[in-house]
Amino acid sequence: MYVHSVLKIKAQTRQGAVTVTALETATLLEATQKLATHKIGAVVITSPDGRVAGILSERDIVRVLAQSGPDALSATVGDVMTRAVITCTADDTIKTLMAKMTRGRFRHVPVVDGQGLLTGVVSIGDVVKFHVEEIEHEASALRDYITQPH
Ligand code: AMP
């Protein structure tokens, strides 16, 4: 199973079809509002040419709020985001993706194309949803096989 299989399923839902991004000049408050509006846990930070410049997750926001208090919300995303982003490609396997998430202890991986341009993002929630649907599909196929007359 491949990352593109997950992206295909995501694209069928209105919410999953959009990759939410922000520029590093945005304020933390603006980024927080994006997370809330789209009901997501991380926003990919892109440079104006569409390349991945960083990632900002709810954990980064909680950390900076705990350190600096509510004034931190007027800081820029560029001051807080993670710059060393681990990405994947649509042709990576889900196994490779999960290994990256486990090794790096993060729950989001941006997907880039051959030119390094952002094409999507896969979260641990997307992977779990994909696996559950796959198991249900297999169970249903097995049930049909068992109950049909031979
Ligand atoms: P998360 O578990 O995805 O909410 O993120 C936990 C921490 O890892 C935060 O500091 C994020 O900025 C960082 N992070 C999230 N995704 C990635 C990624 N793909 N590569 C590198 N760091 C990441």
Side-chain angles (χ1 to χ4, degrees):
M1 284 298 147
Y2 295 91
V3 168
H4 59 71
S5 326
V6 176
L7 290 180
K8 197 172 152 203
I9 288 182
K10 274 188 83 170
Q12 289 160 5
T13 66
R14 199 159 56 95
Q15 202 188 353
V18 207
T19 305
V20 182
T21 62
L23 295 173
E24 58 179 289
T25 48
T27 65
L28 222 50
L29 177 62
E30 288 163 342
T32 303
Q33 287 164 340
K34 271 195 185 191
L35 296 182
T37 304
H38 295 276
K39 299 186 173 72
I40 53 172
V43 59
V44 182
I45 314 306
T46 48
S47 54
D49 65 358
R51 274 158 216 288
V52 177
I55 189 160
L56 180 84
S57 102
E58 50 201 1
R59 294 231 172 131
D60 299 314
I61 298 170
V62 168
R63 177 174 36 85
V64 76
L65 283 174
Q67 281 166 356
S68 314
D71 285 353
L73 289 173
S74 52
T76 63
V77 164
D79 292 334
V80 179
M81 69 185 192
T82 300
R83 288 181 185 271
V85 185
I86 305 295
T87 59
C88 68
T89 71
D91 293 330
D92 280 347
T93 62
I94 300 298
K95 201 175 162 196
T96 304
L97 178 83
M98 288 178 77
K100 284 182 179 182
M101 285 183 174
T102 308
R103 213 176 304 126
R105 292 173 168 265
F106 45 68
R107 299 164 295 173
H108 301 87
V109 180
V111 187
V112 295
D113 67 12
Q115 275 78 52
L117 298 175
L118 180 69
T119 59
V121 63
V122 177
S123 75
I124 190 77
D126 297 327
V127 174
V128 170
K129 185 168 178 279
F130 179 78
H131 269 311
V132 168
E133 282 172 13
E134 203 180 38
I135 289 165
E136 279 171 356
H137 188 76
E138 268 175 30
S140 150
L142 278 173
R143 250 192 315 271
D144 289 349
Y145 177 74
I146 291 164
T147 53
Q148 81 190 1
H150 291 284

